[in-house]
Amino acid sequence: MNKSDSERIATELESKGYQSASKENEADLILVNMCSVRQSAVDRVFGLALKFNKLKTENPKLKTVLTGCILKQDKRKFRKIFDSIWSQRNYFNIIPEYKYKPTAYIPISNGCNNFCTYCVVPLTRGPLVCRSHQEILEEVKKAVVRGIKEIWLLGQNVNDYTSPMESAINFSQLLKLTNDVPGDFQVRFTSPNPKNFSDELIEVMAQSKRVAKYLHLPVQSGDNEILKKMNRPYTVEQYKDLIKKIREEIPDINLSTDVIVGFPGETEEQFGNTVKLFKRIKFNLAYIAKYSPRPGTAALRMKDNVPLEEKKRREKILREIVVKK
Ligand code: SF4
């Protein structure tokens, strides 16, 4: 999503006459598109700001801009070290130059209404806004004509998609319509939420020849109590049934997931349930995050009582299971 936003911002700047510089010290404008999902990313932006402010002594014309997902409480601090802050917004109407050729990242929605208790996205990107299916399909067609071979349909939770033009068009239908665009390309999407992953979507994935045999399905935890505390409205049993169904319909599917270790109150036994799930599912890939408290989220009120060393240990255990698969 950040890559998609960045290339759209770059296209907008180019339309205003800017050209990209090859080095930071040759630039008159430096724009940082930040992410607040983890504290480490926020800290990195503070480090970058210091570096850029040093560059200003060599180039007094240099302006620095911060945009992207910024928490309210961080905005005040960043205002003091960046020349300006641009609010995060929808870049749906900008067709970019696709800097990541042969891949095009195409947003279908922005924002999220789910409020998982650890996540800042609903606070930084705001409520869910869906792009019309006609506009998405137009962009897909243009991208294919420009030689794009891989299309990623992007949304914080793609399953929540409903076309504002025609409410009957849900994500499964959008995927089917994308598959039907003529050309030589593959379609991927990210991320769906297990809570509303429909049979219809499995059927479309199984029957559409342009849809890649790959699925990223974030589980976040293998323990029902922790899932409840995370406000993830599905159980481990439902997740396992869903994977079973998907594998029956698409036997050669590659599966990846997101998981958080050391969520507040996660006991050894609860972590053990995640280990069991990982051994059972045998994911091809997993993005493993050590829980970090984020301002403004509901989980901030829960005690972050799993020590960092223990989070690292749990992360390593899961990583080894995925590698050994
Ligand atoms: S569904 Fe995804 S983006 Fe939305 S709140 Fe949950 S983790 Fe965050």
Side-chain angles (χ1 to χ4, degrees), residues 62-130:
L62 174 63
K63 293 273 174 255
T64 56
V65 176
L66 181 67
T67 190
C69 294
I70 315 166
L71 284 162
K72 229 201 266 166
Q73 40 276 78
D74 288 333
K75 245 181 214 167
R76 270 178 252 129
K77 295 178 216 155
F78 282 125
R79 253 194 204 108
K80 294 184 190 143
I81 47 177
F82 279 87
D83 293 312
S84 47
I85 295 197
W86 293 355
S87 3
Q88 203 279 333
R89 59 179 177 87
N90 294 326
Y91 300 103
F92 294 164
N93 55 349
I94 303 169
I95 307 291
E97 281 306 318
Y98 303 119
K99 295 188 187 298
Y100 308 101
K101 266 181 182 165
T103 298
Y105 295 104
I106 301 185
I108 64 164
S109 62
N110 185 43
C112 182
N113 297 338
N114 288 320
F115 287 94
C116 301
T117 58
Y118 51 83
C119 181
V120 292
V121 168
L123 310 174
T124 55
R125 286 193 178 255
L128 176 75
V129 178
C130 295

Side-chain angles (χ1 to χ4, degrees), residues 8 23 109 192 275 288 292 310 313 315:
R8 275 153 220 265
K23 290 185 197 139
S109 62
V275 170
I288 308 164
S292 82
E310 178 57 20
R313 190 186 72 87
E315 179 193 23

Side-chain angles (χ1 to χ4, degrees), residues 93-279:
N93 55 349
I94 303 169
I95 307 291
E97 281 306 318
Y98 303 119
K99 295 188 187 298
Y100 308 101
K101 266 181 182 165
T103 298
Y105 295 104
I106 301 185
I108 64 164
S109 62
N110 185 43
C112 182
N113 297 338
N114 288 320
F115 287 94
C116 301
T117 58
Y118 51 83
C119 181
V120 292
V121 168
L123 310 174
T124 55
R125 286 193 178 255
L128 176 75
V129 178
C130 295
R131 190 179 184 192
S132 87
H133 68 284
Q134 285 104 326
E135 210 181 285
I136 297 166
L137 293 169
E138 273 314 303
E139 188 175 338
V140 170
K141 285 179 200 157
K142 281 185 190 155
V144 171
V145 167
R146 288 194 206 170
I148 289 295
K149 298 289 179 215
E150 184 185 63
I151 302 248
W152 280 86
L153 299 178
L154 305 177
Q156 260 75 38
N157 176 15
V158 291
N159 300 347
D160 285 341
Y161 177 83
T162 308
S163 174
M165 304 302 285
E166 207 176 311
S167 60
I169 307 262
N170 60 20
F171 180 65
S172 314
Q173 277 129 13
L174 176 68
L175 190 62
K176 166 96 184 58
L177 290 168
T178 306
N179 176 75
D180 295 345
V181 169
D184 170 24
F185 66 98
Q186 265 208 332
V187 193
R188 292 168 187 259
F189 59 89
T190 196
S191 289
N193 190 316
K195 73 166 184 167
N196 52 357
F197 201 105
S198 65
D199 289 351
E200 186 190 9
L201 180 52
I202 300 176
E203 201 183 309
V204 170
M205 286 182 72
Q207 291 174 3
S208 305
K209 66 176 193 324
R210 293 197 180 91
V211 177
K213 303 294 176 232
Y214 165 74
L215 177 64
H216 180 71
L217 191 59
V219 68
Q220 306 300 5
S221 170
D223 181 83
N224 286 338
E225 247 176 80
I226 295 290
L227 285 173
K228 215 170 177 186
K229 283 171 81 176
M230 288 176 162
N231 193 28
R232 300 284 294 182
Y234 51 87
T235 63
V236 178
E237 292 69 33
Q238 285 166 336
Y239 187 89
K240 285 197 283 202
D241 286 349
L242 180 57
I243 295 284
K244 190 166 169 260
K245 224 189 283 177
I246 292 167
R247 280 184 165 149
E248 275 165 12
E249 296 301 320
I250 317 165
D252 48 350
I253 190 104
N254 272 305
L255 283 172
S256 64
T257 196
D258 290 333
V259 68
I260 297 172
V261 292
F263 188 78
E266 187 190 63
T267 62
E268 187 59 42
E269 195 188 335
Q270 289 170 327
F271 171 66
N273 289 333
T274 303
V275 170
K276 275 187 217 151
L277 181 79
F278 264 56
K279 286 186 175 162

Side-chain angles (χ1 to χ4, degrees), residues 40-54 78 81-82:
S40 54
V42 178
D43 295 342
R44 212 174 318 142
V45 176
F46 278 109
L48 282 175
L50 295 178
K51 186 175 154 201
F52 298 155
N53 284 338
K54 264 192 207 146
F78 282 125
I81 47 177
F82 279 87

